[in-house]
Amino acid sequence: MEEKIIELISAGLKDLYQITDVAIKIEDTKKEFEGDYTFVVFPYTRITKLGPEQTADALGKYILEHSKDISSYNVVKGFLNLVIADHIWNAFLHEQFSNVSYGKTQFGKGKKVMVEYSSPNTNKPLHLGHVRNNLLGWSISEIMKFNGYDVVKVNLINDRGIHICKSMLAWIKTGNGETPDSSGLKGDKLVGKYYVAFNELMKAEVAQLVASGISQEEAEKQAPILKEAQEMLLKWEAGDEETMHIWEMMNEWVYAGFELTYKRLGCDFDRYYYESNTYLLGKKAVDVGLSKNIFYKKDDGSVWIDLTADGLDQKLLLRADGTSVYMTQDIGTAMMKYDDEHCEKSVYVVGNEQEYHFKVLKLILEKLEVGNASGLYHLSYGMVELPTGKLKSREGKTVDADELIEEMYESAKFKTNELGKTEGLEEAELHHLYETIGLSALKYFILKIDPTRKMVFNPEESIELQGNTGPFIQYTYARIKSVLRGYNQQINYSVSELFLLKPEKDLLVLLYKFEQAVKEASLVMSPAVIANYIYEVAQSYNHFYHECSILREENEQVKQRRLAMSQLAANTIKNALHLLGIGTVERM
RNA sequence: GCCUCCAUAGCUCAGUGGAUAGAGCAACGGUUUUCUAAACCGUUGGCCGAAGGUUCGAGUCCUUCUGGGGGUACCA
């Protein structure tokens, strides 16, 4: 429809004013005014030599004469508001109302994209920050799939490095052979406990050193337990048997724990990468870079790249002791990823604190000519903060993912029971209901916010189930399904020339824009576009529901139309919620 | 210091250079013999951080300033 209008305006400008070769832009008409699309004529008044009103009026007249699809127009100052004829909306409804995959586009057809998300460290459990990452990564993948892209979801497990050694060391020193079975703790929780323990042990040692007259900074470098961890990393890279054994055992615990959390969050992956498998490839690449003089070696043996010519600093690629760092691993991973899948685009869902890292990574890949540097895209999302301040995982001050999900579940359960809507449902159905509603509240609360922005997570607000929330949208869906159940026959809608009431038309126009939202969400990689869109749909449907009778409508044609609209709204909500990883329930 | 992102209602957030800046929450009031009240309708609440500039038109673009977040050579 937009294209048609643009053609009309373009023809009008040419015939009336001899204006050609200009990019015509139209926008949605603001609610306060009558019309569907608006064309702003201000920029053209200089050429038309007429006032804005006259220019717009002449153009409006021209369009009305040349198209049956525009039923009327009005002019406010320099704004030409065009009203689309009802038959267009009716035809759209007729075409789409039973389309269960309504909204799908072929926008990204033939393009293959890899989306890396989650990417946890194996030394501690998943927390609120990971939750945002997981939800974003999964949702963006699904949005791109919905747009026809071939998407490979990837999880890069950071299973090696000094941080892992810290957990291992603390476990060896203080664990007394504790296991998930013996402790009853989820595997990731158990390992996380020892990561916190390490930091406490180290803190004590640092305090002691400081007491003996050494500076804080120096003490933090010299703490014996830190030295031990560093030695352990060396042993690990050398393949020391005992170290490897403990490492493998503890990682298995963590994976089992993560798996449970992923399952509950609804995240899945097509492929897993392990940094323990990719860092050697990275090291090799560093050697190649050295021989090509892209990198250089300092006297202490550490390897660097000088990026001052690119406006950046110097960056470390290998430590003086020869062990690899984050960057080394990421070079190797990028190479392996490209070898495996040959995606033209590789998206990294990683927090914005690492923007610098990815800028450097991209440059290095470019210079080394490996791993498809041009396709690298860092989807940089904002940090999650609590009303009380920032999350601090080193001190164990976080919002734990599992606990958070459980709270949402309980909240949904409490609210459902309070409303007394549990009648006739069996235990398993109830569980499913609470789970679906609780997770919807959590997911929607996080995804409705623009990913690039930092967000404040208020636990009390997040468990709200009213207003602009996931459950509100689910409720609208359940309400529609209830109406459709009440009819319980095939909807038999045929295009009629009947007049659309305002709430009907508003809803239809909004539903028509789903594809546009789907496309935009994929372009800007933002589930928030979908979330905000579907919230408007739910609001609009509820308004329509209050204003217009459906089952009680006596005019059969109108009744069928409203049923068809309900059907289309239900399909739209279901598909949109799916893109956010949110399920629907038939009643709630 | 340098780089970068951000600043919109009491709170959390929307706002492709266009019209009178919008939602939700919170506060107050109303709607159910009628298709699900987790809903709907209304009231209160704004120098869009400040000052300049570009433009017919700026919350949106540019400059400066203020305040905050993040990054910045051996954590990841």
Side-chain angles (χ1 to χ4, degrees):
Chain A
M1 198 62 223
E2 287 88 345
E3 288 86 4
K4 266 192 205 167
I5 294 172
I6 288 171
E7 267 175 45
L8 278 167
I9 292 172
S10 169
L13 285 174
K14 190 179 164 205
D15 289 357
L16 295 171
Y17 308 116
Q18 291 79 49
I19 299 172
T20 53
D21 296 328
V22 285
I24 309 273
K25 265 173 70 185
I26 56 169
E27 47 209 87
D28 299 345
T29 301
K30 292 255 193 289
K31 269 190 204 135
E32 310 85 68
F33 300 94
E34 195 202 346
D36 300 303
Y37 291 99
T38 295
F39 178 64
V40 185
V41 301
F42 286 117
Y44 306 97
T45 50
R46 217 180 269 166
I47 308 171
T48 64
K49 303 253 164 52
L50 294 168
E53 286 91 348
Q54 288 161 286
T55 308
D57 194 59
L59 195 57
K61 223 171 254 168
Y62 176 94
I63 289 169
L64 210 55
E65 276 166 17
H66 287 77
S67 173
K68 281 181 194 147
D69 299 338
I70 309 294
S71 61
S72 70
Y73 74 92
N74 65 82
V75 175
V76 182
K77 290 188 260 182
F79 299 90
L80 172 61
N81 299 323
L82 300 167
V83 181
I84 306 296
D86 282 351
H87 74 259
I88 296 287
W89 301 120
N90 278 315
F92 154 69
L93 177 61
H94 185 256
E95 202 175 296
Q96 297 292 351
F97 80 93
S98 55
N99 178 5
V100 288
S101 49
Y102 175 60
K104 260 190 190 170
T105 83
Q106 295 299 310
F107 183 63
K109 182 126 183 135
K111 289 183 195 141
K112 195 171 179 186
V113 179
M114 183 175 279
V115 178
E116 177 196 305
Y117 73 101
S118 198
S119 311
N121 294 344
T122 56
N123 62 331
K124 54 186 182 236
L126 303 175
H127 58 70
L128 185 49
H130 295 110
V131 173
R132 188 177 199 191
N133 182 304
N134 289 337
L135 298 181
L136 275 175
W138 191 90
S139 176
I140 282 153
S141 302
E142 292 301 316
I143 288 169
M144 293 187 88
K145 274 194 205 170
F146 205 63
N147 275 291
Y149 287 94
D150 182 5
V151 179
V152 186
K153 292 182 218 164
V154 163
N155 192 358
L156 171 67
I157 312 264
N158 188 358
D159 60 346
R160 64 164 299 283
I162 188 83
H163 52 291
I164 318 290
C165 294
K166 290 179 179 175
S167 292
M168 286 161 65
L169 197 57
W171 181 82
I172 291 167
K173 283 180 178 295
T174 67
N176 295 318
E178 194 178 30
T179 68
D181 282 341
S182 77
S183 65
L185 277 174
K186 204 158 152 276
D188 50 333
K189 296 283 157 58
L190 181 67
V191 173
K193 181 176 132 185
Y194 287 102
Y195 185 67
V196 174
F198 174 91
N199 283 305
E200 273 161 17
L201 289 171
M202 181 164 148
K203 221 194 257 173
E205 289 186 359
V206 168
Q208 227 171 26
L209 287 170
V210 170
S212 71
I214 297 171
S215 76
Q216 178 78 21
E217 200 182 334
E218 196 56 28
E220 276 173 12
K221 280 184 191 164
Q222 299 216 342
I225 196 165
L226 183 65
K227 296 261 183 209
E228 267 187 86
Q230 284 163 347
E231 275 160 32
M232 190 178 233
L233 182 59
L234 276 172
K235 273 192 189 166
W236 184 91
E237 288 209 8
D240 175 71
E241 206 171 304
E242 197 194 331
T243 311
M244 294 304 274
H245 175 72
I246 298 172
W247 174 74
E248 276 167 12
M249 177 180 73
M250 290 181 77
N251 272 343
E252 284 311 315
W253 296 347
V254 172
Y255 298 151
F258 283 173
E259 210 42 54
L260 291 172
T261 309
Y262 286 142
K263 201 172 170 198
R264 215 163 166 198
L265 276 176
C267 293
D268 58 348
F269 304 94
D270 301 310
R271 221 179 228 285
Y272 288 83
Y273 286 98
Y274 299 87
E275 292 200 339
S276 55
N277 288 332
T278 67
Y279 82 103
L280 288 173
L281 198 55
K283 277 187 158 184
K284 259 187 223 160
V286 170
D287 281 342
V288 172
L290 264 175
S291 70
K292 287 187 182 169
N293 287 324
I294 299 168
F295 308 143
Y296 69 94
K297 205 173 229 173
K298 282 193 181 170
D299 292 341
D300 64 3
S302 56
V303 178
W304 299 76
I305 183 167
D306 183 355
L307 293 168
T308 45
D310 297 283
L312 302 174
D313 295 317
Q314 305 190 1
K315 192 82 187 170
L316 176 82
L317 294 166
L318 272 183
R319 291 194 187 95
D321 66 7
T323 57
S324 60
V325 291
Y326 187 28
M327 189 59 76
T328 330
Q329 297 157 189
D330 257 8
I331 295 168
T333 311
M335 292 166 70
M336 199 180 269
K337 278 173 164 182
Y338 191 62
D339 270 2
D340 286 341
E341 300 283 353
H342 285 90
C343 294
E344 50 197 273
K345 195 162 184 179
S346 180
V347 178
Y348 290 75
V349 183
V350 181
N352 63 10
E353 58 195 350
Q354 292 187 35
E355 273 169 16
Y356 187 75
H357 171 82
F358 282 103
K359 226 183 249 178
V360 173
L361 176 62
K362 187 162 180 157
L363 273 171
I364 292 177
L365 294 178
E366 234 166 63
K367 289 180 199 288
L368 288 173
E369 296 174 345
V370 296
N372 189 25
S374 64
L376 187 155
Y377 180 81
H378 175 203
L379 177 55
S380 165
Y381 64 90
M383 298 287 96
V384 185
E385 289 174 13
L386 296 171
T388 51
K390 295 170 58 187
L391 304 165
K392 285 181 187 150
S393 65
R394 280 189 193 192
E395 295 165 27
K397 276 182 205 164
T398 56
V399 176
D400 178 76
D402 298 318
E403 285 170 22
L404 182 60
I405 295 169
E406 198 51 36
E407 265 178 53
M408 304 304 291
Y409 177 92
E410 287 302 325
S411 177
K413 183 175 178 177
F414 179 80
K415 181 74 183 177
T416 307
N417 289 326
E418 193 182 50
L419 292 172
K421 293 188 173 182
T422 55
E423 225 174 290
L425 290 175
E426 288 174 23
E427 198 60 36
E429 290 173 311
L430 281 173
H431 174 71
H432 177 253
L433 186 63
Y434 304 149
E435 186 84 4
T436 311
I437 295 173
L439 274 159
S440 125
L442 176 63
K443 291 180 177 184
Y444 185 86
F445 187 82
I446 290 174
L447 289 177
K448 75 174 172 186
I449 295 166
D450 178 349
T452 63
R453 289 175 59 109
K454 75 166 188 213
M455 65 171 288
V456 175
F457 186 89
N458 186 332
E460 279 159 31
E461 277 176 27
S462 70
I463 58 173
E464 276 299 326
L465 309 174
Q466 277 160 22
N468 188 358
T469 65
F472 164 66
I473 294 160
Q474 286 177 317
Y475 170 80
T476 308
Y477 178 83
R479 180 180 240 185
I480 297 171
K481 294 306 270 193
S482 168
V483 172
L484 295 176
R485 268 197 307 275
Y487 185 62
N488 202 24
Q489 293 171 53
Q490 192 73 32
I491 296 168
N492 184 19
Y493 173 67
S494 58
V495 182
S496 60
E497 290 299 321
L498 291 171
F499 178 69
L500 287 165
L501 293 177
K502 182 118 196 330
E504 291 181 285
K505 186 168 161 181
D506 287 347
L507 177 60
L508 253 184
V509 172
L510 200 54
L511 291 171
Y512 173 77
K513 289 177 179 157
F514 185 38
E515 258 189 37
Q516 201 178 305
V518 166
K519 228 186 261 181
E520 197 200 331
S522 158
L523 269 175
V524 300
M525 295 203 191
S526 169
V529 172
I530 301 292
N532 292 326
Y533 167 78
I534 206 60
Y535 174 61
E536 275 190 63
V537 169
Q539 267 187 323
S540 180
Y541 186 87
N542 282 321
H543 182 72
F544 157 79
Y545 179 91
H546 278 266
E547 297 288 318
C548 308
S549 313
I550 302 167
L551 296 178
R552 289 189 313 262
E553 171 59 43
E554 284 171 8
N555 182 318
E556 187 60 23
Q557 272 188 314
V558 173
K559 181 175 173 180
Q560 290 298 329
R561 180 175 72 212
R562 291 179 181 164
L563 283 164
M565 281 172 63
S566 298
Q567 174 101 276
L568 182 62
N571 290 345
T572 306
I573 291 175
K574 186 167 192 166
N575 292 344
L577 286 182
H578 168 77
L579 295 178
L580 304 177
I582 298 172
T584 48
V585 290
E586 299 296 305
R587 56 188 91 209
M588 66 183 272

